[in-house]
Amino acid sequence: MLRDKFFKEVENVQHPNEKLVKTHCSYCGMQCGMNLRVNTHTNKIIGVEPRYDWPVTVGKMCPKGVTAYQQTNHKDRLLKPLIRDHAELKGTKEGFREASWEEAYNLIAEKFTNLQAQYGKDTLSVFSGVSMTNEKCYLTGKFARVALGTRYIDYNGRFCMSSAAGGFLRSFGVDRGSTLPWTDIHETDCLFIAGSNTAECHPTSMFRVWSVQERGGYLIVADPRETPIARRADVHLDLKPGTDLALANGIAHLLIKKGYMDEAFIQLHTNGFQETKELLKLFTPEYTSKITGVEVEKIIRAAEIYGKAPNAIVMFARGIEQQHKGVDNVSAYTNMALITGKIGRPFSGVATFTGQGNGQGGREHGQKADLLPGYRKLTNPKHVEEVCQVWGITPEEMPKPGVSAYEMFELMEKKEIRGLYLLCSNPAVSAPNLNFVRKAMKQLDFMVCADFYLSESARFADVVLPSVTWSEDEGTVTNLEGRIIKINKAQEPIGVSKPDWQMQVELAKKLGKGAFFEHLKTTRDVAEEFRLASRGGSADYYGATWDKIDQQDGVFWPCRSEDDNGTPHMFLDKKFYHPDGKAKICALPYRPPAEETTMEYPLSLTTGRVVYHYLSGNQTRRIPFLHDMCPDPYVEVHPTTAKAYDINHEEVVRLYTKRGEATYKVKITEAIREDTVFVPYHFGDEDSINLLTIAALDPISRMPEFKVCAAQLSKIATKENGNREEETVY
Ligand SMILES: Nc1nc2c(c(=O)[nH]1)N[C@H]1C(S)=C(S)[C@@H](COP(=O)(O)OP(=O)(O)OC[C@H]3O[C@@H](n4cnc5c(=O)[nH]c(N)nc54)[C@H](O)[C@@H]3O)O[C@H]1N2
Ligand SMILES: Nc1nc2c(c(=O)[nH]1)N[C@H]1C(S)=C(S)[C@@H](COP(=O)(O)OP(=O)(O)OC[C@H]3O[C@@H](n4cnc5c(=O)[nH]c(N)nc54)[C@H](O)[C@@H]3O)O[C@H]1N2
Ligand code: SF4
Ligand SMILES: [Mo]
């Protein structure tokens, strides 16, 4: 127990001028454990250290995590509410003046009330995000439905986790992103990772990934690019973007053909096997290879490794999910685990790499167009009744389900939505088909944006409300394992900034709905109501008290009562959440990408991330070290392709699709397929790759196809003037 003693001593060491506040990172779903260092004279955050005593990440942090603390007292922080005086300057940084909270609230209340009087309740909308705590996410859903009384609320998780959610609901009847705790990764025999750039996006998972190979296990990676994990994989399935459904079916075909299935498990615990088996007959290795471009031998080897492994975990991320068949991809890869029975026991299962810090909790408690707290459905009268009881409204007063994130912009463009309350998201950079989305935002009658920096989206707002960074408030978030953890407050809000929940409580009063909100005076009050609202739902947090979270290093949901310690492993009893207790093996015919390549647009464009930036980049582009490491976007091109286009490394080229264009520096790399180009999406204004992406939505999850569309490159003949007349197109 030397370890325990060592940590206790370390924890007790307190510098006379500093204190340490135990918390977690502001960014991704790993939620690495960290201590924020606070100067006890100024009461300001001055630094960070990793927490070695946090079991998931054991002292590890990435470049974003170690600099995250620099956000809080950053010179760009919004210190006061802003009101736009010059409508003609919408979309720019100019034309705002500072105002008091009172003036800002009064203006919002007046404009929102007038719009609703003229155009009906549903003329208003809320667009939110999941960098917020569960408490804030919960209250945002209540704010939309009770204070504004609108059906139109959706959130940035629609661009992130909605396909994983849809796939898990269909396959398992419940959507918890991981069926097992992350510590199990260490002990498994095979990791099958599809569409995840783990080393850059969930870097602190890497010591667990490498440890599988170190112990003699295997790593299989499906990605069109040779990412760091693909480079070291035992098999790299270097598929053409958008062909995962064929690949997953092809592997499942072999798992059946070579006898790797668990017949007893299939018989007792699943539905749909016979139908799936019929469909899979088509997906011979040769047929699969033809669609995916992956060599037959690699497909066979991957199936054999996964099939033979005593324990295996299938993992995936946005690479397979951000497609117009993302839900099918999730279910198709999940089929591998269900056919072989490698699920519902330690060291075997299925997990998605949840993206945002609260990408899991934020999707469960009512920010989604069709969901209420605890994963309840707005279309289920019993569920509605249960939530009405907590909120003190009648079922008739509960708004109906709305539409998905991108579809809200479509309604804005049609003027069916005229008002927007945007918080915790920067869709002017992160939504697909940006020429359309920016136009839709610009023509709103009235827009509010809550953020702590003036984001690209805030520039479209009529009122900007200064919110706080994660370290200036407390609350819970749910990490990528499904573990509910506690964020602690390290510093008081700077300026007159306020946490989002507080703004919503205060605004509700101005909107005449104070009675439903005014009892919420502290974050803890919101937390208590939130636990109650989730009680009895499939994502039940009732038993996850802050004390319990502290005592046992987090609580895995479901946690239904005070004496329930939570559920680290799902389905240990082989009970899935469909009414008959069985999981569903899904027969999923192959569909090509929404936009296939043509002579005119011969390249597959895919988009994603780099280790130094986070999402729209509004936070990380302001951190000096992160900016210096990756100041500009670029387009990755294979050397053979570069030669065909006669372009050189670092040359500026024009990249375009049917929807838009942008210019990027070329990065020539062998780590990409010849028929594919990649651009990171963390950059704003004319650098946004989303000017080019397609808003083809998955029919079930309404997830846009960020991961594939058809593009063309052209050399800009005169680099200096970028003269289109002179450019050469190949
Ligand atoms: N550094 C950093 N880390 C992050 C974030 C960040 O912005 N920056 N964001 C967080 C969030 S919100 C998210 S959602 C996650 C995202 O985490 P990831 O999903 O891992 O990240 P991406 O870069 O979007 O895409 C992953 C991989 O998908 C591959 N890919 C593209 N098309 C296809 C395809 O058709 N099939 C397959 N199989 N693969 C394909 C890409 O080449 C890429 O390597 O990361 C989280 N962590
Ligand atoms: N082309 C392409 N586009 C993509 C993706 C892709 O892979 N390719 N990935 C998609 C994915 S997975 C995601 S998750 C989205 C994310 O896209 P966005 O939702 O735009 O993500 P962020 O950049 O995190 O935006 C959060 C904003 O809210 C602010 N903020 C942070 N915390 C708080 C808070 O507590 N309160 C308030 N009020 N504001 C806060 C930040 O400063 C920032 O401006 O992008 C999607 N877009
Ligand atoms: S891996 Fe994610 S949670 Fe951990 S330090 Fe990096 S950004 Fe933060
Ligand atoms: Mo995400």
Side-chain angles (χ1 to χ4, degrees):
M1 285 292 98
L2 183 66
R3 242 175 84 120
D4 273 3
K5 183 165 173 289
F6 172 74
F7 290 125
K8 283 217 179 74
E9 281 172 6
V10 170
E11 282 229 321
N12 289 335
V13 173
Q14 291 286 334
H15 191 281
N17 300 313
E18 269 183 35
K19 69 174 181 187
L20 298 178
V21 176
K22 192 160 92 170
T23 191
H24 298 271
C25 178
S26 62
Y27 298 121
C28 85
M30 287 304 299
Q31 285 299 293
C32 299
M34 55 163 65
N35 288 317
L36 284 173
R37 294 173 48 213
V38 180
N39 178 315
T40 46
H41 302 290
T42 60
N43 291 318
K44 297 273 189 225
I45 297 167
I46 51 166
V48 67
E49 53 186 46
R51 268 179 66 199
Y52 206 84
D53 62 340
W54 179 246
V56 189
T57 49
V58 224
K60 301 197 165 41
M61 273 164 44
C62 82
K64 293 182 302 304
V66 294
T67 50
Y69 75 95
Q70 294 173 6
Q71 294 173 87
T72 304
N73 299 303
H74 196 282
K75 63 175 174 40
D76 295 350
R77 278 292 297 276
L78 296 172
L79 300 176
K80 283 193 168 164
L82 301 175
I83 290 181
R84 177 173 283 296
D85 273 342
H86 295 272
E88 74 282 6
L89 293 174
K90 260 198 183 186
T92 74
K93 287 184 200 169
E94 315 304 324
F96 290 109
R97 69 173 162 84
E98 290 189 344
S100 67
W101 280 104
E102 192 61 17
E103 190 189 0
Y105 285 154
N106 285 339
L107 182 63
I108 297 168
E110 181 201 318
K111 293 284 184 182
F112 276 1
T113 309
N114 288 346
L115 279 175
Q116 286 189 315
Q118 209 177 338
Y119 302 104
K121 288 268 179 205
D122 295 334
T123 197
L124 297 185
S125 60
V126 174
F127 191 112
S128 58
V130 290
S131 282
M132 299 192 294
T133 58
N134 287 311
E135 290 74 15
K136 289 182 183 125
C137 292
Y138 159 75
L139 202 72
T140 300
K142 179 176 173 184
F143 176 77
R145 291 173 179 119
V146 180
L148 301 178
T150 178
R151 71 197 293 175
Y152 292 124
I153 169 167
D154 211 55
Y155 79 124
N156 67 3
R158 187 68 70 175
F159 299 157
C160 182
M161 301 314 300
S162 63
S163 289
F168 288 148
L169 281 173
R170 182 166 62 184
S171 297
F172 302 141
V174 64
D175 161 35
R176 202 185 81 180
S178 176
T179 65
L180 31 65
W182 236 233
T183 40
D184 272 27
I185 296 174
H186 250 101
E187 308 286 329
T188 195
D189 306 299
C190 169
L191 288 178
F192 184 105
I193 305 185
S196 154
N197 183 359
T198 317
E200 294 200 70
C201 297
H202 297 85
T204 55
S205 287
M206 288 314 299
F207 73 110
R208 300 194 187 280
V209 172
W210 298 145
S211 91
V212 172
Q213 284 184 316
E214 273 161 20
R215 288 176 43 261
Y218 294 90
L219 173 63
I220 302 164
V221 171
D223 198 303
R225 298 189 305 141
E226 196 188 57
T227 57
I229 55 166
R231 200 155 52 235
R232 266 193 59 178
D234 296 282
V235 185
H236 175 201
L237 303 161
D238 50 348
L239 78 174
K240 201 171 156 59
T243 62
D244 292 270
L245 198 43
L247 183 64
N249 280 346
I251 290 173
H253 166 105
L254 287 167
L255 291 175
I256 295 172
K257 190 168 159 202
K258 305 235 165 159
Y260 293 121
M261 69 265 206
D262 180 338
E263 283 173 30
F265 179 90
I266 293 171
Q267 178 71 27
L268 289 171
H269 306 298
T270 69
N271 289 312
F273 179 67
Q274 283 312 328
E275 193 193 337
T276 308
K277 191 175 160 191
E278 266 320 296
L279 174 103
L280 292 179
K281 282 188 181 148
L282 178 65
F283 290 85
T284 60
E286 293 71 25
Y287 180 71
T288 305
S289 170
K290 211 170 137 218
I291 298 178
T292 59
V294 180
E295 288 164 26
V296 167
E297 294 68 37
K298 286 189 182 177
I299 301 169
I300 295 173
R301 175 128 170 85
E304 266 173 7
I305 292 174
Y306 180 83
K308 280 187 188 149
N311 284 305
I313 307 177
V314 177
M315 305 179 87
F316 36 78
R318 303 315 81 76
I320 71 149
E321 297 163 17
Q322 288 170 332
Q323 297 185 19
H324 83 137
K325 51 181 178 293
V327 176
D328 285 358
N329 288 341
V330 168
S331 287
Y333 281 118
T334 300
N335 279 347
M336 290 170 59
L338 292 172
I339 288 171
T340 57
K342 288 178 186 160
I343 185 141
R345 59 178 202 238
F347 319 123
S348 281
V350 178
T352 186
F353 287 92
T354 293
Q356 297 171 82
N358 198 20
Q360 176 74 54
R363 70 183 190 253
E364 302 159 359
H365 301 293
Q367 297 199 99
K368 242 176 152 167
D370 58 340
L371 289 186
L372 290 170
Y375 234 117
R376 289 188 175 83
K377 290 195 79 71
L378 264 168
T379 45
N380 179 327
K382 185 170 163 280
H383 288 183
V384 172
E385 176 67 40
E386 285 164 358
V387 175
C388 282
Q389 296 235 332
V390 180
W391 286 355
I393 60 170
T394 64
E396 293 70 42
E397 289 170 310
M398 182 71 88
K400 300 282 172 270
V403 298
S404 77
Y406 185 79
E407 291 166 299
M408 290 209 296
F409 291 111
E410 292 181 328
L411 294 183
M412 290 174 206
E413 202 260 345
K414 288 188 196 146
K415 291 214 171 266
E416 279 177 43
I417 290 176
R418 287 168 179 268
L420 167 64
Y421 186 102
L422 172 70
L423 70 159
C424 200
S425 183
N426 190 8
V429 176
S430 56
N433 192 18
L434 276 184
N435 282 317
F436 177 86
V437 166
R438 289 178 187 169
K439 177 173 161 240
M441 278 168 81
K442 199 164 179 175
Q443 72 177 49
L444 283 165
D445 289 18
F446 193 73
M447 174 176 157
V448 178
C449 175
D451 203 307
F452 43 80
Y453 299 134
L454 194 72
S455 67
E456 285 79 0
S457 304
R459 297 181 205 161
F460 289 93
D462 297 282
V463 177
V464 181
L465 301 176
S467 64
V468 298
T469 63
W470 95 115
S471 57
E472 298 160 278
D473 191 20
E474 61 178 342
T476 61
V477 305
T478 310
N479 79 352
L480 81 180
E481 305 166 289
R483 189 194 297 248
I484 308 158
I485 58 178
K486 179 81 197 307
I487 301 291
N488 289 310
K489 181 171 174 176
Q491 182 186 309
E492 287 302 318
I494 69 168
V496 297
S497 62
K498 288 182 191 194
D500 294 279
W501 66 264
Q502 198 181 340
M503 296 178 212
Q504 290 167 3
V505 168
E506 290 167 359
L507 253 177
K509 190 167 178 204
K510 296 277 180 191
L511 291 161
K513 301 285 179 178
F516 303 95
F517 292 84
E518 62 202 2
H519 57 288
L520 304 170
K521 296 199 166 42
T522 63
T523 319
R524 201 175 259 279
D525 295 337
V526 186
E528 290 306 308
E529 185 178 294
F530 155 62
R531 277 176 52 221
L532 213 60
S534 80
R535 187 180 199 173
S538 65
D540 191 332
Y541 282 44
Y542 183 70
T545 60
W546 287 5
D547 285 344
K548 196 186 290 175
I549 292 171
D550 210 34
Q551 279 155 20
Q552 55 176 59
D553 286 337
V555 176
F556 288 82
W557 71 260
C559 179
R560 302 190 183 281
S561 64
E562 309 242 338
D563 51 15
D564 175 354
N565 286 336
T567 316
H569 289 89
M570 297 290 277
F571 320 130
L572 281 182
D573 55 2
K574 305 287 186 283
K575 291 258 183 315
F576 296 91
Y577 281 45
H578 286 304
D580 62 0
K582 292 187 176 184
K584 186 157 171 50
I585 297 175
C586 302
L588 303 159
Y590 176 71
R591 286 181 282 140
E595 187 177 68
E596 291 193 272
T597 51
T598 58
M599 294 283 276
E600 211 181 334
Y601 296 97
L603 299 165
S604 289
L605 165 65
T606 190
T607 64
R609 297 159 166 79
V610 299
V611 70
Y612 297 112
H613 287 295
Y614 191 63
L615 306 179
S616 74
N618 186 40
Q619 289 159 273
T620 49
R621 278 183 271 127
R622 298 173 200 273
I623 305 295
F625 170 73
L626 301 176
H627 168 81
D628 291 352
M629 294 308 289
C630 183
D632 300 302
Y634 51 83
V635 53
E636 285 185 3
V637 182
H638 189 273
T640 309
T641 314
K643 208 165 164 207
Y645 282 82
D646 184 28
I647 51 179
N648 298 312
H649 190 59
E650 304 246 302
E651 181 172 338
V652 178
V653 296
R654 176 175 164 245
L655 183 66
Y656 58 100
T657 65
K658 284 185 185 160
R659 293 152 297 281
E661 62 172 59
T663 52
Y664 296 110
K665 263 193 190 167
V666 171
K667 178 173 162 188
I668 295 185
T669 168
E670 282 181 357
I672 191 157
R673 292 175 57 91
E674 286 176 28
D675 56 11
T676 305
V677 292
F678 168 86
V679 180
Y681 87 100
H682 312 289
F683 301 86
D685 303 326
E686 70 278 6
D687 287 340
S688 296
I689 189 60
N690 277 324
L691 291 164
L692 283 71
T693 52
I694 187 168
L697 306 184
D698 180 289
I700 299 172
S701 67
R702 317 307 284 161
M703 165 74 89
E705 188 148 74
F706 289 116
K707 284 295 183 272
V708 47
C709 66
Q712 175 63 306
L713 264 181
S714 69
K715 195 176 166 73
I716 297 174
T718 318
K719 245 188 269 178
E720 292 68 33
N721 62 16
N723 187 344
R724 299 274 150 66
E725 308 305 323
E726 291 178 41
E727 78 194 7
T728 348
V729 177
Y730 293 86

